[in-house]
Amino acid sequence: MFENLKVLVCDDSVLVRKQMSKILGSFGITNVEEASDGVQAVDKYAGFMPDIVFMDIVMPEKSGVDALKDIVSLNPAAKVVMASSVGTQGNLKEAIENGAYDFIQKPLTEESVGKILDKIKG
């Protein structure tokens, strides 16, 4: 059902990126690229053109919200899901106003990622 999806995972934590790749793999998604900061996220988005982006809000170099703005300017139909941990919910309003598709609460779970994937596949 999700095997053909291309996914970009953007988080400054290598552990979170690996966890997310593992969760995506459980849904049969193997076409996954990773970025460790907002600058990389925008560059990888432009080259990879993923179906969905999971983006941490707080990252070095360029915040998730700033990277979101750049990605949406490249592709207004981009589906960017913002990942927020406790204490970053204030940024979610700004992210939604700037074109975020949805948001997901950390720590990431198979169930929460599955709900987002179901929503995207409609």
Side-chain angles (χ1 to χ4, degrees), residues 14 33 38 42-44 66 68 70 90 102 111:
V14 68
E33 289 277 331
V42 175
D43 289 345
K44 291 222 176 179
D66 287 338
L68 165 70
D70 290 349
D102 207 338
E111 180 185 0

Side-chain angles (χ1 to χ4, degrees), residues 68-87:
L68 165 70
K69 291 175 188 175
D70 290 349
I71 287 170
V72 168
S73 74
L74 289 170
N75 176 10
K79 289 184 171 50
V80 181
V81 177
M82 304 305 289
S84 112
S85 49
V86 175

Side-chain angles (χ1 to χ4, degrees), residues 5-119:
L5 282 180
K6 289 169 39 176
V7 180
L8 177 59
V9 178
C10 313
D11 199 294
D12 56 325
S13 164
V14 68
L15 292 174
V16 170
R17 293 195 311 268
K18 296 303 174 206
Q19 176 194 23
M20 187 61 170
S21 291
K22 184 178 177 187
I23 290 171
L24 292 168
S26 74
F27 291 100
I29 299 169
T30 57
N31 199 354
V32 179
E33 289 277 331
E34 296 181 5
S36 60
D37 62 52
V39 173
Q40 260 188 22
V42 175
D43 289 345
K44 291 222 176 179
Y45 184 89
F48 184 54
M49 294 305 285
D51 299 298
I52 182 170
V53 178
F54 287 94
M55 176 97 64
D56 189 17
I57 286 183
V58 180
M59 290 189 294
E61 303 299 321
K62 180 181 285 203
S63 75
V65 173
D66 287 338
L68 165 70
K69 291 175 188 175
D70 290 349
I71 287 170
V72 168
S73 74
L74 289 170
N75 176 10
K79 289 184 171 50
V80 181
V81 177
M82 304 305 289
S84 112
S85 49
V86 175
T88 61
Q89 284 92 346
N91 301 13
L92 286 176
K93 183 174 185 279
E94 183 183 3
I96 298 295
E97 288 169 353
N98 283 286
Y101 178 76
D102 207 338
F103 65 92
I104 192 167
Q105 185 73 41
K106 287 182 178 179
L108 304 171
T109 65
E110 203 168 296
E111 180 185 0
S112 62
V113 172
K115 284 181 182 174
I116 300 275
L117 294 173
D118 285 339
K119 183 177 174 183

